[in-house]
């Protein structure tokens, strides 16, 4: 090999060596480099679940808001889950799923039937405190947070007694017949009017906790019983639907309308004089109190485990001063 060829061969070998070194470093880096990922594991003290009646219902969204706020303040992860449309079977499945997920506590709307009672038992057996919200059910639940529904029904009765004279034919709209809180409100209402035979229930229909359902039920009821001169709605969207239904069939008829809850649209109708009064519940407060109660239950059982949130009648006259948003 002459001098020239040698230089050539050595340079080529050197070049080859260098390029393979670079390639090795580059691909080795690509293969073995593990990106440093910030730990996405949040430092939550507890994981609670709130199982509601219906996902997009404005009333339940307020319960969720209160619960999430309280949870955020206390470093708790709160999961909100519910059937898309009110459905007891679905709710029970979600409740069961949360037990299986071994959350640290469950807030759930109480529903009728043995399956619910059994699931509460299952949760408690696995050391998961369960509390009912909005609707209570006799069970091993550790506490109830929400309205005294019987009393709320009595309030509605009292309002109608005090604001009418002579014979009254009442058309009642309930959210769902199978909902215990609706049954209790109705029982409270009947109890209040029982000493006043001039006030009689003419018909009771279901809205399926939707505004359109309440509109249709009102329309049908008024058509069949045009003598109805009092309408009472026992769940949050019934007031809106009753006003609409009445408007469609008897736009000028003077009917005393009593609704439930203080959703903004309902308050607007009270301001406009379309709804006479509403029975206020405080869902945000229920949500936040329920979280506080679940925290307490992590360490001890409660002696006083029926925690009633505020319930009151609100009429137009009360709206000069905004209703107290109970916290
Ligand atoms: C009741 C809830 C119900 C909601 C429906 C409220 O008055 O307390 O149980 O889900 O109305 O809109």
């Amino acid at each position: 090999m002459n001098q020239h060829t040698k230089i050539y061969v050595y340079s080529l070998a050197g070049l080859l060596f260098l390029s393979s070194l670079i390639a090795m470093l580059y691909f080795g880096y690509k293969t073995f480099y593990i990106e440093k990922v910030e730990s996405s594991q949040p430092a939550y003290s507890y994981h609670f679940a709130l199982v509601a009646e219906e996902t997009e219902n404005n009333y339940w969204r307020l319960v969720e808001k209160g619960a999430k706020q309280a949870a955020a303040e206390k470093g708790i992860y709160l999961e909100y889950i519910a059937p898309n449309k009110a459905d007891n079977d679905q709710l029970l499945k979600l409740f069961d799923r949360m037990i299986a997920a071994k959350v640290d506590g469950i807030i759930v709307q109480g529903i009728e039937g043995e399956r619910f009672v059994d699931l509460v038992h299952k949760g408690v057996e696995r050391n998961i405190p369960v509390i009912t919200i909005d609707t209570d059910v006799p069970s091993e639940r550790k506490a109830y947070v929400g309205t005294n529904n019987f009393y709320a029904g009595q309030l509605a009765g009292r309002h109608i007694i005090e604001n009418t004279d002579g014979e009254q034919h009442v058309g009642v709209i309930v959210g769902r017949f199978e909902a215990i809180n609706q049954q209790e409100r109705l029982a409270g209402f009947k109890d209040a009017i029982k000493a006043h035979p001039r006030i009689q229930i003419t018909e009771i229909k279901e809205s399926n906790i939707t505004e359109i359902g309440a509109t249709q039920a009102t329309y049908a009821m008024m058509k069949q019983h045009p003598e109805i001169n009092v309408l009472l709605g026992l769940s949050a969207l019934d007031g809106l639907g009753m006003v609409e239904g009445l408007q469609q069939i008897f736009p000028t008829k003077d009917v005393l309308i009593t609704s439930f809850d203080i959703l903004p649209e309902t308050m607007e109708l009270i301001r406009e004089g379309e709804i006479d009064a509403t029975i206020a519940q405080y869902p945000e407060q229920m949500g936040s109190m329920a979280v506080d109660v679940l925290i307490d239950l992590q360490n001890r059982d409660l002696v006083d485990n029926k925690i009633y949130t505020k319930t009151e009648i609100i009429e137009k006259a009360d709206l000069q001063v905004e209703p107290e948003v109970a916290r």
Side-chain angles (χ1 to χ4, degrees), residues 43-60:
Y44 295 123
S45 48
Y46 299 119
H47 174 181
F48 292 163
L50 165 59
V51 187
E53 182 172 8
E54 186 174 271
T55 323
E56 291 305 336
N57 186 289
N58 285 344
Y59 170 89
W60 285 101

Side-chain angles (χ1 to χ4, degrees), residues 172-191:
V172 183
I173 308 275
V174 301
R176 296 193 301 144
F177 286 128
E178 62 180 355
I180 295 178
N181 65 1
Q182 301 296 295
Q183 296 165 10
E184 289 173 345
R185 289 172 195 177
L186 191 58
F189 175 68
K190 285 181 177 164
D191 179 71

Side-chain angles (χ1 to χ4, degrees), residues 51 72 144 175 183 199 242 293:
V51 187
Y144 166 67
Q183 296 165 10
I199 303 175
M242 290 188 314
V293 168

Side-chain angles (χ1 to χ4, degrees), residues 247-320:
Q247 183 67 29
Q248 285 176 10
I249 190 159
F250 295 130
T252 55
K253 190 173 162 88
D254 191 19
V255 175
L256 183 99
I257 298 186
T258 306
S259 67
F260 240 86
D261 292 290
I262 49 170
L263 294 181
E265 302 87 328
T266 304
M267 301 316 272
E268 200 41 53
L269 288 172
I270 291 184
R271 263 183 217 104
E272 290 167 8
E274 300 283 349
I275 293 180
D276 295 89
T278 199
I279 313 297
Q281 304 194 84
Y282 293 93
E284 270 186 71
Q285 187 196 27
M286 283 180 207
S288 67
M289 282 173 80
V291 167
D292 290 344
V293 168
L294 261 192
I295 296 173
D296 251 18
L297 285 168
Q298 299 296 313
N299 305 313
R300 61 188 175 97
D301 275 354
L302 300 180
V303 182
D304 191 5
N305 63 15
K306 241 184 210 276
I307 300 146
Y308 288 136
T309 44
K310 191 169 164 181
T311 315
E312 62 187 328
I313 287 229
I314 293 180
E315 308 174 332
K316 190 172 180 177
D318 303 314
L319 297 185
Q320 315 315 341

Side-chain angles (χ1 to χ4, degrees), residues 159-160 163-165 167-173 200 202-203 218-219 221-223 225-233 238-239 241-259 269-270 272-277:
H159 173 77
I160 292 166
N163 288 277
T164 57
D165 289 314
E167 268 187 24
Q168 302 302 314
H169 308 276
V170 188
V172 183
I173 308 275
Q200 292 294 329
T202 305
E203 167 119 58
T218 305
Y219 189 96
M221 199 152 73
M222 296 299 301
K223 189 168 184 191
H225 307 282
E227 72 277 18
I228 288 177
N229 50 2
V230 172
L231 283 169
L232 169 64
D238 298 341
M242 290 188 314
V243 169
E244 179 60 32
L246 184 63
Q247 183 67 29
Q248 285 176 10
I249 190 159
F250 295 130
T252 55
K253 190 173 162 88
D254 191 19
V255 175
L256 183 99
I257 298 186
T258 306
S259 67
L269 288 172
I270 291 184
E272 290 167 8
E274 300 283 349
I275 293 180
D276 295 89

Side-chain angles (χ1 to χ4, degrees), residues 39-86:
S39 161
S40 58
Q41 212 57 12
Y44 295 123
S45 48
Y46 299 119
H47 174 181
F48 292 163
L50 165 59
V51 187
E53 182 172 8
E54 186 174 271
T55 323
E56 291 305 336
N57 186 289
N58 285 344
Y59 170 89
W60 285 101
R61 284 295 186 192
L62 289 173
V63 177
E64 178 200 16
K65 187 171 167 205
K68 283 215 163 134
Q69 239 158 35
E73 279 160 21
K74 278 131 198 157
I76 287 162
Y77 173 54
L78 185 111
E79 195 172 344
Y80 172 76
I81 47 164
N84 288 336
K85 283 263 128 252

